[in-house]
Amino acid sequence: MTSQNAGGGNAILVINAGSSSLKFSVFRESGAGGLRVTINGQISGIGTEPKFEAKDAAKRPLAERVWTAGEPSDRTALLAFLLEWIEGRLDGAKLLAAGHRVVHGGTRHAAPVLLTPAVMEELESFIPLAPLHQPHNLAAIRALAEAHPELPQVACFDTAFHRGQPWQAQMFAIPRELTDEGVRRYGFHGLSYEYIARRLPELAPELADGRVVVAHLGSGASMCAIHAGRSVDSTMGFTALDGLPMGTRCGNIDPGVLIYLMRQKGMGADAIEKLLYNKSGLLGVSGLSNDMRALLDSEDPHAGEAVELFCFRIAKETGALAASMGGIDALVFTAGIGERSAPVRARVGDKLAWLGVVIDPAANEANGPLISAPTSRIPVYVIPTDEEQMIALHSRKALETV
């Protein structure tokens, strides 16, 4: 038992479930109503050879386990093991709830919600809108309910932060009856943007009411216009395919391309879905990899084109999002590529020189937090995101409101 895990109080389990992995964090209550992470880990290889790994807040290993053939290793069994392992390390603390990242909350959910059978049924109806994520998010919730039915569970939505956007930012120019049925722009990565909106005023109080463009750049990538801490516009729309090119997703594409693929290539919905979600983006353009690090290290011209297209689109969307707010007071990079890829940030900065952006090379190589030069007309920041902390805070609040 590490000293940071000692002492009673309450705890929140945070779960981010994917198709073959389950990432988790344990947050403990600290002074002044705060929450601090004490355990991080994941169960990988779900469906094949599951492996459990856990570390403390200082990244020191706490435990490992591999399930061998013949051992019960479905999601319910794995989550039952996880809960038992965590409860054995709470040292008298009470596990209040499990908070889940759920990608899609539809039009109704502008805040986290305590999960019930009725809510689960509603969330299942959004699977066609987020086919890569929603099924796995909900599968973990069902499995945990089976393993520990007494534990409250809270859904925290990636779409919720964007629900207050102006109608113009949410609406497609299609027949109104389709809009009324829910065919509209939702936006995603909301938990990340909400964290940045809370964190930025601590670094730069003068930006609390400012107009900020945030670039969440990872395997999934999007951008958001935030004015006075609220989402005004975003690059992702009806699904998480829209906007920027991503690791394997196409980003913005002319709908006529899809009609062409159906009529001229004879492709059905499943084949088009696989093409756009799994074979496009950085991988499709480069023909090599969806990993930005590999592309930057490669001398293949197609790899260079993939990086250039990615940076070009980020700069282009920055201008569009600034227009949505009537100006821009700061630019923020976050998520895996945004936090760790100085070359990408430098290229984007060069393309935004027309806005008065000047990147400080030394600060950029050091990953910030402030990476713009004193001569830059707008400040540019690198701020690590923390979606898990937002989920923990939201989960506790959801329990308090019941």
Side-chain angles (χ1 to χ4, degrees):
M1 180 71 63
T2 61
S3 60
Q4 63 185 328
N5 287 344
N10 296 316
I12 301 284
L13 170 63
V14 171
I15 292 177
N16 186 351
S19 58
S20 61
S21 67
L22 187 151
K23 297 177 182 178
F24 66 90
S25 301
V26 177
F27 286 81
R28 297 281 293 272
E29 290 185 333
S30 58
L35 290 168
R36 57 186 174 87
V37 66
T38 58
I39 300 173
N40 279 310
Q42 68 173 345
I43 300 176
S44 57
I46 297 174
T48 54
E49 187 178 83
K51 180 180 180 180
F52 166 76
E53 299 173 280
K55 298 179 180 180
D56 65 15
K59 308 297 184 185
R60 295 173 296 211
L62 291 175
E64 287 188 7
R65 180 185 169 181
V66 176
W67 279 259
T68 58
E71 290 187 278
S73 60
D74 58 16
R75 286 183 184 268
T76 300
L78 294 173
L79 281 162
F81 163 82
L82 177 61
L83 262 292
E84 182 179 356
W85 185 87
I86 289 171
E87 288 175 337
R89 282 151 183 82
L90 292 181
D91 192 34
K94 179 182 179 182
L95 188 62
L96 293 179
H100 296 261
R101 178 189 180 217
V102 177
V103 167
H104 217 298
T107 58
R108 283 188 55 208
H109 297 294
V113 61
L114 197 65
L115 285 159
T116 66
V119 171
M120 285 292 290
E121 184 176 353
E122 181 185 15
L123 299 184
E124 286 169 357
S125 71
F126 303 142
I127 288 176
L129 307 185
L132 283 189
H133 303 92
Q134 196 88 347
H136 310 302
N137 301 157
L138 301 184
I141 294 168
R142 287 191 293 267
L144 187 56
E146 184 177 343
H148 280 261
E150 76 289 347
L151 183 68
Q153 298 192 71
V154 178
C156 300
F157 304 105
D158 257 348
T159 52
F161 183 64
H162 305 297
R163 292 281 47 80
Q165 288 180 354
W167 67 267
Q168 300 97 319
Q170 299 189 52
M171 196 170 185
F172 292 118
I174 56 176
R176 189 168 292 274
E177 56 268 25
L178 290 172
T179 303
D180 294 340
E181 290 174 12
V183 182
R184 61 179 67 209
R185 302 185 75 254
Y186 290 96
F188 298 90
H189 292 139
L191 291 163
S192 175
Y193 293 127
E194 186 177 10
Y195 178 82
I196 299 300
R198 291 168 60 109
R199 183 79 179 93
L200 183 59
E202 298 174 4
L203 290 174
E206 70 276 10
L207 293 173
D209 295 321
R211 299 163 298 184
V212 182
V213 172
V214 182
H216 177 107
L217 309 178
S219 179
S222 70
M223 298 175 68
C224 183
I226 299 176
H227 189 188
R230 299 174 66 86
S231 175
V232 173
D233 197 0
S234 56
T235 58
M236 280 185 173
F238 181 60
T239 69
L241 269 180
D242 202 5
L244 300 176
M246 302 169 230
T248 62
R249 285 174 260 171
C250 63
N252 180 262
I253 190 169
D254 181 344
V257 173
L258 311 186
I259 298 172
Y260 171 84
L261 293 176
M262 289 186 286
R263 287 182 174 167
Q264 303 302 318
K265 299 294 185 180
M267 296 177 69
D270 290 345
I272 291 175
E273 180 180 77
K274 187 172 183 179
L275 173 72
L276 301 184
Y277 273 102
N278 304 117
K279 296 182 177 181
S280 298
L282 297 176
L283 175 63
V285 175
S286 70
L288 295 174
S289 175
N290 64 337
D291 190 319
M292 179 58 72
R293 294 165 296 187
L295 297 180
L296 288 169
D297 289 341
S298 174
E299 296 181 359
D300 189 301
H302 291 161
E305 288 180 353
V307 176
E308 176 64 17
L309 179 60
F310 185 67
C311 296
F312 168 80
R313 289 296 309 281
I314 294 167
K316 181 179 178 180
E317 295 293 347
T318 300
L321 294 172
S324 296
M325 298 183 289
I328 178 173
D329 299 312
L331 173 64
V332 175
F333 291 96
T334 194
I337 297 172
E339 294 170 24
R340 293 188 282 274
S341 183
V344 167
R345 297 192 300 258
R347 291 193 192 196
V348 173
D350 287 344
K351 295 178 187 302
L352 293 175
W354 64 274
L355 266 178
V357 171
V358 181
I359 300 296
D360 181 301
N364 188 34
E365 286 295 330
N367 295 323
L370 181 66
I371 64 169
S372 51
T375 55
S376 185
R377 192 182 70 79
I378 63 171
V380 182
Y381 291 90
V382 176
I383 303 178
T385 192
D386 194 342
E387 295 160 298
E388 289 76 17
Q389 176 143 160
M390 289 309 309
I391 294 171
L393 290 168
H394 281 316
S395 298
R396 185 175 62 181
K397 185 175 181 180
L399 291 179
E400 292 170 352
T401 58
V402 174

